Amino acid sequence: MKISYNWLKQFLQIDWEAEKTGELLTDLGLEVEGISNFESVKGGLKGVVVGHVLTCKQHPNADRLKLTTVDVGQGDSLQIVCGAPNVAAGQKVPVATIGTTLYSKEGEAWQIKKGKIRGEESHGMICAEDELGLGESHDGIMVLSDILKPGTPCAEVFEIENDQVFEIGLTPNRADAMSHFGVARDLKAGLEQKEIQKGLLTPSTSNFLIDNRSLKIDVEVMDSQLAPRYCGVTISNLIVQESPDWLKNRLKAIGLSPINNVVDVTNYVLHELGQPLHAFDASKIKGNKIEVKTLPAGTKFITLDDVERELHEDDLMICDSEKPMCIAGVFGGINSGVTEDTTAIFLESAYFDPVSIRKSAKRHGLNTDASFRFERGIDINTTEYALRRAALLIKEIAGGDISSEVVDLYPKKAQERQVFLTFDKINSLIGQEIPRDTIKSILSSLEIKVNNVTESGLGLTIPNYRVDVEREVDVIEEILRVYGYNNIDYKEKLTASIAQTSKFENHRIQDVVANMLSAQGFFEIMTNSLVAADSEALLESGKTPVSMLNPLSADLSILRTQMLLSGLQTIAYNLNRQKTDLKFYEFGKTYQKQNGKHSEKQHLSVLITGERNANHWVNTATKTDFFYLKGTLDTIFERLGLKSIQAEPYQGSIYSEGLTYSMNGAPVGSFGLVSKSILKAFDIKQEVFHADLDWDILLKKIRTENVVFTEIPKYPEVSRDLALLLDEDISFQKVYDLAWSTEKNLLKKVSLFDVYVGKNLPEGKKSYAVSFTLLDEKKTLTDKQIDKIMSKLTSRYQKELGAELR
């Protein structure tokens, strides 16, 4: 949120530097994220002065140029070549002197330099209004008032406004500070805590008078729950035109583009007092009646952005007797707004239900200044005051007459909340005793009324504009932020308790795996659980996703059923920034509907793509592959003490090839090469390998797997190799499992160290080179024992797998 310092000073007469004021605002909880400078004319006309044209004659070498001498108040006159048709001796003109920087309409800077034009020296430039940023005309130079003195800075002549703008990171609960007046009110409380008394100046509406009653527009509110207060007044005989400079400068300073004097006033009052307003062209209100109501679902309505929207049955609408004119508190309609031809308006100021406004805004994907304030909660007591303030401003700058009574439909007055604040609670939460007089002073500066004082505490009345202050702890937070967090002393002694947790706690196991993967060069990512519905459909998982009722956007409309989607978004983001070698892991959750209920599961997702290691003079780059990811997963299982992991070919559409892991029949995850059709949807052109492990099941299995520690063997291991000729469809897993079922006591390790398919082998055959490690922990193995075991292994491979020894 942007706050103009000059505007702020209209409410609070303060002469502090902007940086010092920004520090105090931050201490008060209105964090100033930055301070920027604003100039109503870019460059502030620095170097541009009033010049007096002494002589003007024809350029000797050009028919369309004039040679002038100009007094700019520096003693010697300057010779300036000018091409304007209206330049003449005796004029007072704006002159950009040597070294002055001017700006084009596009904001490009260019500097005035001494030069020669058609052989004649030119020591400056006599300017047109568009060259100075003061208008659009380029028909000729600007001619100034004769009474101006040569050398006078043009910044003084044109009253160039220089301002400083605070960028405040407003938290959602601080609805009271969504305006310049609200920020000034907070700043006043902070100054009083520093014993600086400043009165809060508010715009007067005492001269609000009804000129006539010639334009009456009836108002009917159908549902006072959705519109607890609705005010309006008509203004006739006004002239819609460009706003005065002071108003345009205020809006430009906070990043708003001026439109016309009527609309600009509504925007001005919104940012001044925090009360959204809307002006309707009175001639377009059919039946001279306003109806505040909901319409049937599916009703078509075209908003100001020329988009046809389909209304929801709960959308509150501002209608005339025939048609809808505005989505209440959100966005106006295209056929009811103020135009250059408007001569009479109905000015609306209302309080709408925050929940209703937020739902309507989200349903239609709209986020306006009005909805931003309504959905957080505005001050219902400011509604009529803001209306009168805006009506007077419109009358001042657009003319016209106030031509009706003020309509104020407010059937049920809002009651201020009562809170009892105990001194003991203050001290226990803050951890330090604050003097009671200081507490009462802070509450008074915040306009929180102290009704009664007892030995134990204070009875308080909370103003309606503080929608976030409902409980005792909220009041304590208000006291603390004004008192100053920096004023709370630190204790020299730090007291902490030591929690006893199981080694199987989720966060501990996650840390073990995360540290191991990070040590292997993986980066942990944290992604959004919300994804687009169309990307979820790519996976064809058969799972029913959980949809958001009010999604922030179409890209964040459902909760993911697979971790892969978020991971691929991250991969694509990095690839687009020339990061092609990626190794990621993420602990996250997936969500789905099952049997009418919502369920969520924890997962570990691992993704790799590109090169395994960077190209180096010692070794060449190696691409990541299926087996690199499998080795990483095996390392995870080994680190967690999970031994009884079985692998089977993956059945599904997510991976073009892969494996599925299980333990005792329970699936624990899968991994493989991501299908090209899925990668294409994310515009990923290189291979991506992905693993998805069911973390919930792994956590359960870890508890049941006992880790057994054994002594380091005293006797040597023995290795023997077999070269097996097998059918192509026989996997190493079968070779591996058969070895362990054949010899359970002395066999310690089975590994595959070579695979050969191709020349010199029968068709449909492949060759596996398998190494077997044997060990007897009680004695040294003899050749007879080793040969016997190898003979058993060979025999079983031949009988059950049809293997041949090579």
Side-chain angles (χ1 to χ4, degrees), residues 70-83:
V70 184
D71 176 13
V72 293
Q74 297 176 354
D76 296 334
S77 59
L78 303 177
Q79 177 173 289
I80 299 176
V81 177
C82 180

Side-chain angles (χ1 to χ4, degrees), residues 392-403:
L392 288 172
L393 281 174
I394 291 173
K395 190 175 177 182
E396 175 188 334
I397 65 174
D401 304 315
I402 296 174
S403 50

Side-chain angles (χ1 to χ4, degrees), residues 51 132 192 225 272 291 323 326 395 506 514 556 639 675 687 727 760 769:
L132 297 177
E192 288 182 3
Q225 296 293 323
E272 179 185 51
E291 296 179 356
K323 65 184 183 304
C326 175
K395 190 175 177 182
N506 185 11
L556 303 170
R639 180 66 182 85
S675 168
E687 290 184 336
D727 292 338
N760 300 326

